[in-house]
Amino acid sequence: MSETKSTCCYCGVGCGVIVEHDGAQITGVRGDPEHPANFGRLCTKGATLHLTVAPDTRSQRALHPELRTERGAPRQRVGWDAALDHVAERFAAIIREHGPDAVAFYGSGQWLTEDYYVFNKLTKGLIGTNNLDTNSRLCMSSAVAGYKLSLGVDAPPCSYTDIDATACLFIAGSNTAFAHPIVFRRIEAARAANPAMKLVVVDPRRTDTAEAADLFLPLLPGTDIALFNAMLHVMLWEGWLNRDYIEAHTEGFDALKRLVREYTPAMAATICGLPKRDIELAAEWFATSPATLSMYCQGLNQSTSGTHKNSALINLHLASGQIGRAGAGPFSLTGQPNAMGGREVGALSNLLSAHRDLGNAEHRAEVAALWGVPEVPAVPGKPAVELFEAIGRGEIKAVWIAATNPAQSLPDQAVVHAALAAAELVVVQDTYRHTETAAYADVLLPATGWGEKDGTVTNSERRISRTRAAVPPQGESRHDWQIACDFARRLGARLDKAELAERMFGFDSPEAVWNEHRESTRGRDLDITGLSYAKLEADGPQQWPFPAGAASGRVRLYEDGVFPTPSGKARFVATEYVATAERPSARYPLHLITGRLRDQWHSMTRTGLVPRLFNHEPEPQLHMHAEDLARRDLADGDIVRVRSRQGAAVLKVIASDTVRPGQCFVPMHWGGNAMAGRLGINALTPSAADPTSKQPELKHAAVQVEKLTDGHALMAMRRVTGDDPFAVLGALRQQLPDLPYASLTLAGREVPVVVLKARVGEAEPALLAAVDAAMGLDDAAHTLVYDDTHRDIAKRARVDQDVLSAVRLSGETRAAEWLTELMVRGEPAGPLRRWLLAPLTQPPAGQPTRGKVVCNCFDVSEEAILAAFHAGESLDQLQARTKCGTNCGSCLPELKRLASRPA
Ligand SMILES: Nc1nc2c(c(=O)[nH]1)N[C@H]1C(S)=C(S)[C@@H](COP(=O)(O)OP(=O)(O)OC[C@H]3O[C@@H](n4cnc5c(=O)[nH]c(N)nc54)[C@H](O)[C@@H]3O)O[C@H]1N2
Ligand SMILES: Nc1nc2c(c(=O)[nH]1)N[C@H]1C(S)=C(S)[C@@H](COP(=O)(O)OP(=O)(O)OC[C@H]3O[C@@H](n4cnc5c(=O)[nH]c(N)nc54)[C@H](O)[C@@H]3O)O[C@H]1N2
Ligand code: SF4
Ligand SMILES: [Mo]
C-alpha cells in the first residue's frame, strides 16, 4: 500500500488529501493534516472521493476515443490518431473557410492550471481567436469584474486565517455550511474560541449557514445592493465611517455618498423585505467591529447586477476601513477547485495571461512575445451564454467542450440543446461517458480524472497546491493538457504553422507548462517567479504573490493601503439598485431560487456514482412554503409542473420552512439524466446576464407551480448485487425523455439501490417491459405478480434469499416509501413478504421509516436524531452514542438546528 498527497477535486476550499492506493487502484482517502486549508479535515464529498473511482464505477468512464462521422449515427471506438486527425481536419477546414472565430472552446474551473494554460495558448496564440470561455463565466466572473472595478485587479485579498482574527463575519449569498464546509468548520472553531465574534448572514433562504447566525437578514432575492447601500447610508449618518482611510486610500466617495443618501433604512426595508432595525444593526456591527470580514459567493455573483453587488459590498469595506488588516476584507469564496487558476492564466474570452487585459495593446504584445507569435487577437471572444447562442445561429460551427457539462449547467437549456444539435462539430473531452453533453458529441475524447492527474490548483485564498497522480490513467485516457498539445501540433500542420505549433506545444510535462505560466507572471501583481514545483514539493502549498527572492507568499493584500490602480487608490463604485427582470408577476407569481445540496457536486457525474451521497436529499425536489402549498391545494410529496418564461420542469414538491411564502427553491444538480424531458432544472433559468461580467442570472426565475395530473404512478427499484448498477441506470435513462414525470436516482449505502419514480401514460406495455427487464423482473419463475387489469394496477416483486431485490408498482404506489426502506436496509423480508404487493402506506409490522440520513459518515437518520432528542438525550450524549457529526462534521449545523428545535 502507498500514499500520495494531492488535493480534493471539488470545491474552492482546496483541501489537501492523502490518497491511499496500491499503485493501480485507489482504496481510500483522508485529509492531509499538514495542508493549511483543511489541516486533515474533509467534508462528505471529499471523504468519499475514493468511492467515485472504485472499480464498480469504471463502466461510467470514457476509456477510449469515440467518433462518428455522420450526425445521428452511433459513435465508434477509434484510436487517438484517428480521433485527433479528424478533429484537426475539421477545425482547419472551418478556420480556412470561415475564419478563426468560427471555432470555440468551452472549458472549466475544474481544469488544472496547466490544462488551462495550454488551451488558452492554443486558442488565442495558435488559432487566433478569443473564443475560449469556461464555466467560470457562470461562477466567478462577477467576482473578477467586481474586484477589478473596485480594487484594480482580480485578487481576493484575504486568507483563511482571517477567519480566526475577525470580530464580525458578514456572509452574503453564500451557503458556506453546504458549499464550503471546511471553511464553515473553521468558522465554528473561530466562534468557539471567540464567543464575542458576530456572524451576520444575508440570504433569502434560512440555510444551515443562516441558522447559525447572530443576525440573519432574509432579504428578498436580488435586493442586495439596496441593503448594502442602506448600510452605507447608516454608516454615514451615524459617523461610523473611517474618514482617514477614505481620504488616504480611495477615490470616488462623493459620488457614492450622493447616491446612498436616498437609500434610507426605511426605503431598503421595503425593497429588501427586512426590518429596518436589522439593517441598522448590520451596519453598526460591520462598521464598528474591530475587524470585519465578508464572505460571498453565488448569491451575489449569479445576478444581472452581479458585478455591482460585489462592488457595493466592497464599498462597505473601503468606507469603514475594513480591509488590509488581519480579520478584515472582502473575501470572495471561489466555487470550483481551480477557478482561481483559470483567472490567473487568463482563460476567459475577455482576459489574457497573468491578469492582463485583451483591450490593452501592451499586454497583448507582452503575451505575443512570450508565446512567440506575431499577435494575439484584440476583439474579445464570446462569453459562455453568447457562445452557445452563436453556435445555435451557425456563427460558431465547431465547439470543443472540456471538463464541463453545459447541457446541464447553462441557463435556458432549450437553447443550449438546440445549439448542440445544430453545431457542425461537437468535441467533448470528459472523464465520463454519460454526461448530458456527451450525448451530443461527434467526438468523445477520454480525459484522465482525479487521482490520475498531475499539476497545480489555486484555492480561494490564493494558495497554490500540487495535485498528484496516485494511479495511472484509466484505459486510453489522456491528460487534458496533453490532448491540447497533441491536437495543436496536428492543427498547426494543417494551417501552415507546423513549425510554430511544434515550438509552442513541445511541452513534455505539466511542470514545463507551469514554468512557462510562471514566466508570464513576472512583474505582475500575481508574480510567482519565486515558486517552483520543487519548492511546492519541499515546502508545501504557497500563496501568491511569491516573487523571486521573497521568503514567503503574501497572506494579505493591500496592507499598505496601496491598490493596483493608476492612482494607487481603491475606487468607490456608485451602485444603483436595479430590480431583476425575474420578479414574480401575476402569471409567474413565485420567485424560484437555485443553489447547492450538501452532498452533491454540480451535474453529479461523480457524486452521483456514490449511493450514500443521495441519502441527504434523495431526489429532485422543489422546496416550497406550506402556505404556498395550501394556497395551491398541493400536498407535501405531490408531483408539480414548474413553469418559467423559459421552460418547464416536473418534480416532487416538499414543504419547507427554509423559504418564505412567495419563494421556492430547487437544487441546481438535476439534469436530463435524472429527470424527464431532457433539460433538467435549468430549463427554467433565464439567460439574462450581468452587462459587465456577462455572468448569467442562474439564481433566479419567476415561476408558476401547478399539480401534475397526467398519467399514472410508476415506481421501480432494484437492489443491485453482482450486476453493474450503472448499466441498470443507463437502461432506465433511455426511458426518461418522453415521460411526463420521472426521477432516476440511487439509494442505499454499501449495496446500491436504483430508484425510478415516474408517471406514465395509460397503456405503456413496452415501457413497463423495458423497466422490468432493467430491474430483473422479467423472469416469471422468480417474480411475484399482482395484476388488476380492471383498475390498471400491476405489481411485480422479486425476493432473493429472503431479501427484497426488485420491485415495480404501477397504478398504485402507496407502499413506495417503506419498500425503499426495506430494500435499502437489505434486511430479511420475513413475514413482510406477503405484504409486498399490498396497497399499504405503512408495513403492518410497524417498521418505522428513517427519513433522510443526516450524518452520512455514521449513517444516522433524522428520525433517529429527533427520537433521541425527544427522549431527552442531549446533543453530546447523542454524539457519544452514535458518533454522528464527529467525523467530517458536514452535518454539525443541521444537528445543532435539530437540537434547538422545540420538542
Ligand atoms: N456541496 C457542494 N459544494 C459546492 C458545489 C457543489 O456543487 N456542491 N459547487 C462549488 C461551486 S462551483 C460554487 S460556485 C460554490 C457555490 O457556493 P454558494 O454560492 O455558497 O452556493 P449556492 O447554494 O449556489 O448559493 C448560495 C446562496 O445564495 C442564496 N441566494 C440566492 N439568491 C440570492 C440573492 O439574491 N442574494 C443573496 N444574498 N443570496 C442569494 C441562495 O439561497 C443560497 O443559499 O459551491 C462550491 N461548493
Ligand atoms: N441553476 C443553476 N445552475 C448553475 C449554478 C447554479 O447555482 N444554479 N451554478 C453554476 C456554477 S457556479 C457552476 S461552476 C456550473 C458547474 O457546471 P458544470 O461545469 O457543467 O458541472 P460539472 O458537473 O462539474 O461538470 C464537470 C464535467 O467535467 C468532467 N470532469 C471532471 N474532471 C475532469 C477532468 O479532469 N478533465 C475533463 N476533461 N473532464 C473532467 C465531469 O465528468 C463533468 O462532466 O454550474 C452552473 N449552473
Ligand atoms: S470542503 Fe469538501 S469539497 Fe471542498 S475541498 Fe474540502 S473536502 Fe473537498
Ligand atoms: Mo461555480
Side-chain angles (χ1 to χ4, degrees):
M1 275 314 203
S2 321
E3 292 183 343
T4 303
K5 282 194 173 197
S6 190
T7 37
C8 174
C9 58
Y10 294 125
C11 84
V13 178
C15 297
V17 296
I18 295 176
V19 186
E20 300 157 4
H21 59 93
D22 61 10
Q25 181 60 50
I26 290 172
T27 52
V29 60
R30 57 182 207 276
D32 178 355
E34 288 171 4
H35 197 288
N38 58 319
F39 297 107
R41 314 194 80 148
L42 295 177
C43 76
T44 39
K45 298 180 300 299
T48 48
L49 265 172
H50 60 294
L51 301 176
T52 68
V53 292
D56 65 351
T57 63
R58 193 177 149 95
S59 66
Q60 297 307 287
R61 282 292 296 268
L63 293 172
H64 42 73
E66 293 175 22
L67 168 67
R68 67 173 165 220
T69 45
E70 226 175 292
R71 261 296 148 97
R75 290 188 303 259
Q76 306 290 335
R77 175 175 179 170
V78 293
W80 274 103
D81 284 339
L84 290 181
D85 279 337
H86 175 80
V87 181
E89 203 63 61
R90 295 295 307 276
F91 263 64
I94 291 169
I95 292 166
R96 258 184 259 124
E97 193 177 342
H98 305 283
D101 291 337
V103 301
F105 293 83
Y106 185 56
S108 170
Q110 293 165 69
W111 266 341
L112 306 183
T113 300
E114 294 74 5
D115 301 327
Y116 273 121
Y117 187 85
V118 176
F119 270 98
N120 205 36
K121 192 178 183 186
L122 161 65
T123 316
K124 297 172 184 172
L126 185 74
I127 298 178
T129 174
N130 285 316
N131 279 341
L132 169 103
D133 216 49
T134 72
N135 59 3
S136 288
R137 184 68 64 189
L138 316 181
C139 183
M140 302 315 298
S141 61
S142 295
V144 173
Y147 273 138
K148 286 172 78 167
L149 199 59
S150 295
L151 305 180
V153 296
D154 171 27
C158 310
S159 285
Y160 296 147
T161 50
D162 285 318
I163 297 168
D164 305 321
T166 194
C168 173
L169 181 59
F170 186 87
I171 296 182
S174 149
N175 186 4
T176 328
F178 277 21
H180 296 93
I182 299 304
V183 163
F184 204 72
R185 299 286 85 74
R186 294 183 74 148
I187 295 170
E188 287 167 343
R191 293 179 88 197
N194 173 16
M197 176 181 153
K198 297 275 192 285
L199 176 62
V200 184
V201 174
V202 182
D203 194 308
R205 292 190 306 132
R206 184 176 283 280
T207 59
D208 278 2
T209 309
E211 202 69 48
D214 297 302
L215 175 62
F216 170 41
L217 301 173
L219 83 179
L220 291 171
T223 62
D224 301 78
I225 292 179
L227 170 67
F228 300 155
N229 283 354
M231 286 171 65
L232 190 59
H233 178 105
V234 175
M235 292 178 194
L236 257 165
W237 190 256
E238 298 290 341
W240 291 330
L241 299 180
N242 188 331
R243 296 274 173 195
D244 294 342
Y245 195 89
I246 295 172
E247 187 61 36
H249 305 298
T250 70
E251 58 195 20
F253 189 61
D254 289 341
L256 180 61
K257 202 164 99 182
R258 277 194 299 279
L259 182 131
V260 301
R261 203 166 290 153
E262 281 172 47
Y263 287 83
T264 60
M267 173 200 181
T270 311
I271 296 176
C272 305
L274 293 171
K276 182 169 153 269
R277 176 71 204 119
D278 287 355
I279 299 174
E280 289 161 350
L281 189 59
E284 179 178 348
W285 286 359
F286 195 112
T288 64
S289 103
T292 299
L293 182 70
S294 64
M295 286 184 167
Y296 47 101
C297 203
Q298 300 315 329
L300 301 198
N301 295 351
Q302 284 169 345
S303 155
T304 44
S305 51
T307 305
H308 276 184
K309 279 191 181 186
N310 275 261
S311 283
L313 179 55
I314 298 174
N315 285 341
L316 299 181
H317 284 276
L318 295 173
S320 54
Q322 298 284 13
I323 185 168
R325 288 182 286 114
F331 197 175
S332 153
L333 295 176
T334 336
Q336 297 178 88
N338 198 31
M340 284 288 286
R343 289 149 74 174
E344 292 153 22
V345 163
L348 280 172
S349 62
N350 57 323
L351 300 179
L352 259 187
S353 314
H355 292 174
R356 289 180 179 85
D357 284 317
L358 277 175
N360 183 321
E362 226 171 279
H363 285 181
R364 288 199 306 279
E366 285 165 10
V367 174
L370 181 75
W371 287 346
V373 294
E375 56 173 13
V376 288
V379 186
K382 294 243 180 321
V385 170
E386 291 174 29
L387 194 150
F388 280 82
E389 286 167 356
I391 297 170
R393 288 193 304 271
E395 252 169 64
I396 291 174
K397 300 184 187 302
V399 61
W400 184 313
I401 298 163
T404 177
N405 188 7
Q408 192 275 336
S409 56
L410 278 169
D412 203 356
Q413 279 293 316
V415 170
V416 177
H417 282 246
L420 287 168
E424 280 182 26
L425 178 68
V426 177
V427 181
V428 173
Q429 176 171 327
D430 204 287
T431 316
Y432 295 94
R433 298 191 68 230
H434 298 292
T435 72
E436 284 86 351
T437 307
Y440 290 94
D442 299 303
V443 183
L444 181 70
L445 302 175
T448 51
W450 175 84
E452 300 154 21
K453 295 182 66 146
D454 238 313
T456 55
V457 292
T458 309
N459 72 3
S460 289
E461 58 165 1
R462 292 173 279 107
R463 190 180 295 281
I464 302 173
S465 293
R466 287 275 280 114
T467 285
R468 294 183 184 85
V471 294
Q474 290 274 301
E476 292 173 20
S477 63
R478 290 187 185 172
H479 306 310
D480 289 297
W481 69 268
Q482 272 178 333
I483 300 171
C485 287
D486 190 346
F487 169 75
R489 289 190 295 258
R490 290 169 203 257
L491 182 69
R494 287 166 174 85
L495 292 175
D496 297 327
K497 297 180 187 172
E499 212 182 304
L500 179 68
E502 288 298 332
R503 187 155 34 80
M504 288 175 78
F505 297 95
F507 303 113
D508 60 359
S509 67
E511 185 173 6
V513 179
W514 190 83
N515 287 346
E516 190 175 302
H517 159 61
R518 176 181 61 187
E519 195 47 41
S520 77
T521 69
R522 190 175 293 281
R524 308 281 310 159
D525 69 293
L526 72 170
D527 193 324
I528 49 167
T529 49
L531 284 179
S532 63
Y533 265 34
K535 188 157 180 76
L536 293 171
E537 198 69 46
D539 300 343
Q542 301 295 327
Q543 285 177 288
W544 63 250
F546 199 129
S552 65
R554 190 99 42 85
V555 175
R556 200 167 298 106
L557 306 181
Y558 316 134
E559 282 173 311
D560 55 2
V562 177
F563 292 86
T565 56
S567 62
K569 293 184 169 189
R571 293 181 285 239
F572 282 104
V573 182
T575 51
E576 202 58 271
Y577 162 69
V578 184
T580 163
E582 288 299 321
R583 264 172 316 174
S585 63
R587 179 120 195 258
Y588 300 102
L590 289 168
H591 194 125
L592 176 73
I593 302 167
T594 73
R596 281 153 176 82
L597 292 177
R598 192 190 75 186
D599 293 352
Q600 294 293 355
W601 177 260
H602 296 168
S603 66
M604 303 166 50
T605 61
R606 286 167 287 178
T607 48
L609 302 174
V610 183
R612 76 180 62 165
L613 293 181
F614 287 84
N615 292 347
H616 193 243
E617 177 128 346
E619 61 192 302
Q621 298 183 137
L622 180 74
H623 302 222
M624 200 182 206
H625 196 274
E627 276 178 26
D628 283 318
L629 285 177
R631 191 165 299 138
R632 287 167 180 75
D633 227 0
L634 292 169
D636 184 278
D638 275 352
I639 305 305
V640 292
R641 178 180 283 118
V642 187
R643 254 189 244 273
S644 74
R645 298 180 182 104
Q646 281 67 40
V650 177
L651 70 173
K652 181 171 151 181
V653 67
I654 55 164
S656 169
D657 54 10
T658 60
V659 286
R660 291 195 193 189
Q663 299 171 5
C664 50
F665 170 75
V666 70
M668 63 158 297
H669 307 286
W670 310 104
N673 278 350
M675 292 173 70
R678 278 200 180 88
L679 304 181
I681 71 98
N682 273 322
L684 299 167
T685 47
S687 56
D690 178 274
T692 311
S693 69
K694 309 288 182 189
Q695 178 159 354
E697 186 150 81
L698 285 157
K699 277 276 165 283
H700 308 297
V703 298
Q704 50 170 261
V705 173
E706 62 185 13
K707 189 163 169 163
L708 183 89
T709 48
D710 317 16
H712 68 180
L714 168 76
M715 94 85 75
M717 284 184 300
R718 177 168 170 199
R719 188 179 154 85
V720 192
T721 50
D723 287 343
D724 177 1
F726 304 107
V728 178
L729 272 180
L732 294 169
R733 203 170 277 153
Q734 310 295 320
Q735 310 299 327
L736 297 187
D738 304 319
L739 294 172
Y741 155 73
S743 151
L744 180 59
T745 58
L746 290 178
R749 196 169 170 87
E750 306 311 334
V751 180
V753 173
V754 173
V755 184
L756 172 70
K757 297 180 184 175
R759 288 282 180 80
V760 298
E762 286 306 303
E764 302 220 33
L767 175 91
L768 292 184
V771 170
D772 288 350
M775 294 306 198
L777 289 165
D778 51 351
D779 170 359
H782 292 96
T783 306
L784 308 172
V785 174
Y786 171 87
D787 280 319
D788 178 346
T789 41
H790 192 60
R791 291 190 300 149
D792 219 359
I793 292 172
K795 302 184 181 184
R796 306 281 180 272
R798 181 173 174 148
V799 177
D800 287 302
Q801 277 138 18
D802 204 28
V803 171
L804 178 64
S805 62
V807 66
R808 186 262 288 175
L809 313 175
S810 63
E812 188 280 303
T813 59
R814 252 167 282 184
E817 216 168 302
W818 67 270
L819 288 178
T820 310
E821 198 76 35
L822 186 66
M823 193 179 279
V824 162
R825 289 189 187 186
E827 284 165 6
L832 286 177
R833 255 180 106 126
R834 46 194 280 259
W835 302 103
L836 294 176
L837 299 183
L840 291 179
T841 319
Q842 291 275 323
Q847 165 226 38
T849 52
R850 298 198 313 159
K852 73 172 177 178
V853 173
V854 173
C855 172
N856 235 327
C857 297
F858 297 108
D859 200 25
V860 187
S861 74
E862 185 175 65
E863 297 290 327
I865 293 164
L866 288 174
F869 292 148
H870 202 72
E873 217 170 35
S874 71
L875 180 55
D876 287 345
Q877 289 164 330
L878 173 74
Q879 291 195 291
R881 181 169 60 81
T882 65
K883 304 217 284 202
C884 65
T886 58
N887 184 42
C888 83
S890 288
C891 63
L892 275 174
E894 192 167 355
L895 283 173
K896 287 183 190 150
R897 175 159 55 79
L898 293 174
S900 66
R901 194 148 109 178

